[in-house]
Amino acid sequence: MAFSLDQVHVPEGEAPVWDRDPSERGSGVLALCFGVAVRDHFPDRFLDAHLELFAARHDHGGKLADRAVLRAAVERAGLDPDAVERIADAPETLAAIARDHTEMRDGYDVFGVPTFVEGDEAVFIRFMERGNVEYLHRALDLLQWPALNEFKRTRVAR
């Protein structure tokens, strides 16, 4: 499910990001459009595209509002960037993001990413080390433990 951090930061009473001019949507909405385009139309390439889009920002320091960065990421994932961009720009893609975001907010009280959802439980988790599958499995095992509501370190050793 798509969730927009740009929308989370919209002040109450202002137009949602999906009802704004593209230049006023924030930095992450375009990347969500590319991701949802791949998810909905090229599902067999979604994991690769997701990893490349994430890496474009977090490993390479690219700007998610830059179409060239997004096009290069989906191309590295083995997709035709023209086809993905066409779908990303379609009104249906933005409508899908609005539906996903609203469902996550209203149905699970999601406020940030990454939030993991299993059954009726939703948990925001921030890992200090990316890509460690063992850490992910340990965290997922805790999702159904209702006695643990919040666990946050006061200091983080880096």
Side-chain angles (χ1 to χ4, degrees), residues 30-107:
L30 185 59
L32 278 175
C33 288
F34 269 69
V36 168
V38 174
R39 178 195 75 185
D40 292 352
H41 295 271
F42 310 99
D44 58 319
R45 305 300 315 157
F46 178 72
L47 180 58
D48 293 331
H50 175 76
L51 293 173
E52 288 295 342
L53 289 164
F54 192 89
R57 171 68 184 104
H58 296 286
D59 294 341
H60 309 299
K63 303 293 183 196
L64 294 180
D66 183 342
R67 286 180 179 272
V69 167
L70 302 176
R71 288 174 54 86
V74 296
E75 188 168 37
R76 284 192 303 273
L79 291 156
D80 175 357
D82 292 331
V84 173
E85 187 172 33
R86 250 189 323 277
I87 297 165
D89 289 340
E92 302 82 40
T93 303
L94 204 54
I97 292 169
R99 279 191 309 275
D100 283 0
H101 179 93
T102 301
E103 181 180 334
M104 296 305 287
R105 183 199 63 212
D106 294 350

Side-chain angles (χ1 to χ4, degrees), residues 7-22:
Q7 177 58 30
V8 168
H9 298 293
V10 171
E12 191 171 333
E14 289 191 18
V17 294
W18 32 83
D19 291 344
R20 296 178 179 194
D21 182 79

